[in-house]
Amino acid sequence: MSLKDQFGKDVLLTGWGHSRFGKLTDETLESLIVQVATEAIGNAGIEPGQIDEIYVGQFNSGMMPLAFPSSLALQVSEQLANVPSTRVENACASGSAAFQQGTKSLLAGTAKTVLVIGAEKMTQAGADVVGAALLGADYDMAGKPSSTGFTGLFAEVAKHYEKRYGPVSDVLGTIAAKNHRNGVDNHYAQLRKDLGEEFCQTVSDKNPMVADPLRRTDCSPVSDGAAAVVLSVAPTGGATAPVRLAGFGQANDFFPTDRRDPTAFAATRASWQRALGMAGVGLEDLDLAEVHDCFTIAELLMYEAIGLTEPGQGALAVKEGWVFKDGKLPINVSGGLKAKGHPVGATGVSQHVLAAMQLTGTAGDMQLAAPRRAAVQNMGGVGIANYVSVLEAL
């Protein structure tokens, strides 16, 4: 059973575009959207006029004054005049939320070709503005002052984990070092420096404690950036072979903290199981995964939520090398949010693009040896809004 078996049609990623991530002072939200959309349409080998619908993933939440970006994609071409375009928001999972909305338009038969864009401009806003905006994605802390922001929320998750299963500081440092090392090979990445395990495991002037036990190297950076993908029901004769969406899943958890097990990430697990179930595959059938490592403790919990290890045993995946480039399930070969950057609305689309590049052998220095199947996992809030996709090479 696969998505095609269930719905009687294919959903194909036929073209994509990706900007550099980082502090992009010379770019605007509009210029980033136009850049990646133009690249994706050209890569798909189609004309802008063939786009039936557009979805734009963006969080914003007060980080910039323009809160109505859906029509910015029409700046690509006069041929896009009057094409329906909708902004989609679901916190840091806004990009994957837009991707799934585009997928559902194809499956519903209301469109044959959809353009999905994820974009965010964050670095022009002050740290206090960014912090307050991100805290708007938390039920208990929205609108409240905080010296540690979202880092503090995931630090609490790490403390609960340590209380239940034991210390994690060193393994989190190893995860950070892995992703920084991977990021060196990603020319889109914001942080392209191999920092090494010792640096990432040690508190220092250059790697201070942000919210105990999370150091600076345990946190993804504030970023600008964008990515785009064209979804089609049939091949479009683009620059690269298309990639098939084999399955997808979404699950939301309860919003109040006291209604969730802080270390279980139950809805993440549910979204993962739904996507694998639709695709008709198991974890052992995957060649790589891009997961939502907004903080290193999140990646550690992903190992457990996806079933790579039992609860409390996530460190085993690191110690045994399973999640490294040469391991049985390479995770965040792109450098992840940790090194690539995390322009929140762009992240989910970026993950799909980079997975598609791996499956088409176009990932450059990041390229693994002939992967055939990849998974993408994107999350909003502390395990609240969860999206998973399973992609296959044709």
Side-chain angles (χ1 to χ4, degrees):
M1 179 65 71
S2 68
L3 180 151
K4 186 175 182 180
D5 295 327
Q6 184 171 337
F7 293 98
K9 63 176 69 177
D10 256 329
V11 173
L12 302 177
L13 288 70
T14 53
W16 43 81
H18 202 296
S19 79
R20 185 169 61 86
F21 281 6
K23 187 174 183 178
L24 308 180
T25 55
D26 294 331
E27 300 285 357
T28 64
L29 184 68
E30 180 179 334
S31 69
L32 287 168
I33 286 174
V34 170
Q35 174 195 331
V36 298
T38 301
E39 185 180 350
I41 293 169
N43 183 250
I46 62 174
E47 294 297 322
Q50 293 175 258
I51 300 293
D52 297 315
E53 197 165 1
I54 302 168
Y55 288 98
V56 180
Q58 187 214 26
F59 179 50
N60 193 354
S61 193
M63 289 185 287
M64 63 177 300
L66 180 63
F68 183 43
S70 56
S71 278
L72 290 179
L74 274 59
Q75 301 293 85
V76 169
S77 171
E78 291 289 334
Q79 295 181 42
L80 292 176
N82 302 319
V83 171
S85 185
T86 305
R87 176 197 174 201
V88 180
E89 186 279 311
N90 217 356
C92 297
S94 295
S96 286
F99 181 91
Q100 285 201 11
Q101 289 304 116
T103 294
K104 291 173 182 178
S105 287
L106 297 184
L107 295 178
T110 57
K112 292 183 179 179
T113 306
V114 173
L115 174 63
V116 178
I117 303 165
E120 206 76 64
K121 275 287 288 181
M122 303 173 70
T123 64
Q124 77 289 336
D128 56 337
V129 174
V130 173
L134 296 178
L135 280 176
D138 186 75
Y139 180 88
D140 301 288
M141 290 301 298
K144 296 180 180 178
S146 171
S147 60
T148 56
F150 232 78
T151 309
L153 301 181
F154 274 88
E156 288 301 310
V157 172
K159 288 176 182 177
H160 281 288
Y161 190 94
E162 289 191 316
K163 184 176 181 180
R164 188 174 296 181
Y165 300 117
V168 295
S169 181
D170 282 354
V171 72
L172 296 185
T174 301
I175 291 170
K178 168 184 73 74
N179 290 347
H180 275 286
R181 187 159 54 248
N182 289 349
V184 172
D185 294 329
N186 183 356
H187 70 270
Y188 299 123
Q190 180 170 355
L191 304 174
R192 299 187 65 192
K193 187 175 182 180
D194 185 354
L195 298 178
E197 286 190 40
E198 183 177 355
F199 180 85
C200 292
Q201 291 175 344
T202 306
V203 176
S204 64
D205 289 343
K206 293 185 177 180
N207 190 26
M209 190 72 74
V210 180
D212 189 26
L214 302 183
R215 298 147 297 214
R216 180 180 290 164
T217 50
D218 293 307
C219 310
S220 59
V222 172
S223 316
D224 306 326
V229 63
V230 174
L231 301 178
S232 309
V233 294
T236 56
T240 61
V243 170
R244 173 180 287 126
L245 176 65
F248 63 91
Q250 179 191 357
N252 275 51
D253 210 336
F254 294 106
F255 211 4
T257 303
D258 61 9
R259 296 201 65 183
R260 289 178 275 121
D261 181 329
T263 68
F265 278 44
T268 304
R269 185 181 297 270
S271 63
W272 192 266
Q273 291 170 344
R274 288 169 184 172
L276 291 179
M278 183 185 292
V281 300
L283 197 64
E284 67 281 359
D285 298 308
L286 301 177
D287 297 306
L288 72 143
E290 288 288 322
V291 307
H292 193 99
D293 63 319
C294 50
F295 301 93
T296 51
I297 183 62
E299 180 166 329
L300 181 67
L301 286 168
M302 292 309 145
Y303 303 161
E304 301 174 13
I306 69 180
L308 190 58
T309 75
E310 293 297 320
Q313 299 297 313
L316 184 64
V318 176
K319 293 174 182 175
E320 295 295 324
W322 297 342
V323 294
F324 290 81
K325 277 187 176 180
D326 58 353
K328 67 178 184 179
L329 183 61
I331 287 185
N332 288 337
V333 175
S334 68
L337 287 58
K338 174 78 265 300
K340 182 182 62 178
H342 184 28
V344 291
T347 287
V349 181
S350 166
Q351 291 174 309
H352 284 84
V353 169
L354 292 169
M357 290 171 67
Q358 286 285 349
L359 297 176
T360 54
T362 59
D365 292 337
M366 295 179 284
Q367 188 64 53
L368 298 173
R372 300 296 301 167
R373 191 175 286 111
V376 167
Q377 180 269 326
N378 188 201
M379 175 177 72
V382 186
I384 302 299
N386 300 269
Y387 296 82
V388 176
S389 297
V390 177
L391 307 181
E392 293 178 344
L394 291 183

